[in-house]
Amino acid sequence: MAGIEDRLESDKSIRNVNYPADDLSHQSGDGLEVHGCRFEGVRLPTAISRTTIEGSHLVSCDLANAQVDESSLLDSVVTSSRLTGISWSHGILRGSVIEARADLSSYRNTKIRNVIFRDCDLRQSDWQRAEFRNVLFQGCNLTGAQFSNAQMQHNVQFSDCTLIDISGVRGMAGATVNGGDLLGLAGSLAREVGIGVEW
């Protein structure tokens, strides 16, 4: 269990610690390295930069409106957590599974590799200039998402997702979309290429 010596502090390395429900939002995440830890019901710091979270599990955690810059989430699992409004920019998401409420979140200029987004609320999320490789969106609500200048580099799939009112549809070029999801995407595709639709 976490003790006073396991406080989240800048430029600190923490390994194999269990953090029970607590409010850690006042602690620092700058230059932090977290390996093999479990956070359950924790309110994490609201400003994190140059931080690495690896081989860890975040359960029912709160990262709403956090500013996460130039940070990495590696080989980790995020479940039943709140990421509403999080800004994860210029970072790396790799080898992870994310199941969370993450509406209004932003991943601009982030490299996303070998990641599964499952049953996520991603309404109005921002993926501008993000790079995707081996990524699966499964059962996600992406209504109003922004994909301008995104790069679907290899094996990006959308399965059983809501794809209504997508902006920057050209940024999804190269992705595979489940046939049942295509109807929701049709209006965005038509708008992108300048086709008027009358009902």
Side-chain angles (χ1 to χ4, degrees):
M1 299 295 289
I4 190 68
E5 70 279 6
D6 299 310
R7 284 175 52 87
L8 303 184
E9 298 173 346
S10 296
D11 302 315
K12 186 174 182 178
S13 180
I14 298 174
R15 292 180 179 273
N16 306 318
V17 177
N18 288 335
Y19 290 84
D22 198 0
D23 184 354
L24 307 182
S25 58
H26 58 286
Q27 297 185 25
S28 172
D30 294 345
L32 186 67
E33 293 187 5
V34 176
H35 302 274
C37 294
R38 180 182 176 89
F39 298 84
E40 187 162 0
V42 174
R43 172 63 170 143
L44 289 160
T46 56
I48 300 173
S49 63
R50 299 177 295 103
T51 285
T52 297
I53 300 173
E54 184 174 11
S56 297
H57 197 170
L58 283 67
V59 184
S60 301
C61 290
D62 189 351
L63 271 160
N65 300 313
Q67 296 294 312
V68 185
D69 301 319
E70 301 178 53
S71 296
S72 300
L73 180 73
L74 311 175
D75 303 320
S76 296
V77 177
V78 180
T79 56
S80 304
S81 295
R82 183 169 175 252
L83 280 61
T84 296
I86 192 173
S87 177
W88 196 298
S89 63
H90 295 88
I92 296 173
L93 303 177
R94 190 182 73 211
S96 298
V97 176
I98 299 174
E99 300 174 354
R101 177 179 176 181
D103 51 316
L104 301 170
S105 55
S106 176
Y107 308 90
R108 290 189 178 194
N109 299 288
T110 289
K111 292 178 170 59
I112 305 170
R113 306 278 191 272
N114 305 315
V115 173
I116 297 173
F117 294 92
R118 181 181 293 130
D119 299 328
C120 291
D121 179 353
L122 290 165
R123 290 172 297 161
Q124 295 183 284
S125 51
D126 186 350
W127 309 87
Q128 293 185 69
R129 295 181 296 280
E131 297 178 9
F132 298 84
R133 180 175 287 270
N134 298 324
V135 177
L136 171 63
F137 290 90
Q138 185 176 52
C140 296
N141 186 347
L142 285 142
T143 299
Q146 168 66 263
F147 284 96
S148 293
N149 299 307
Q151 297 180 40
M152 306 288 169
Q153 295 178 339
H154 177 71
N155 191 29
V156 182
Q157 299 182 46
F158 295 83
S159 177
D160 298 322
C161 292
T162 303
L163 300 171
I164 298 171
D165 198 25
I166 301 296
S167 298
V169 174
R170 293 179 194 272
M172 296 176 68
T176 300
V177 177
N178 183 285
D181 301 343
L182 190 58
L183 184 60
L185 189 60
S188 301
L189 287 166
R191 183 182 63 233
E192 189 87 2
V193 300
I195 297 175
V197 177
E198 294 183 358
W199 300 96

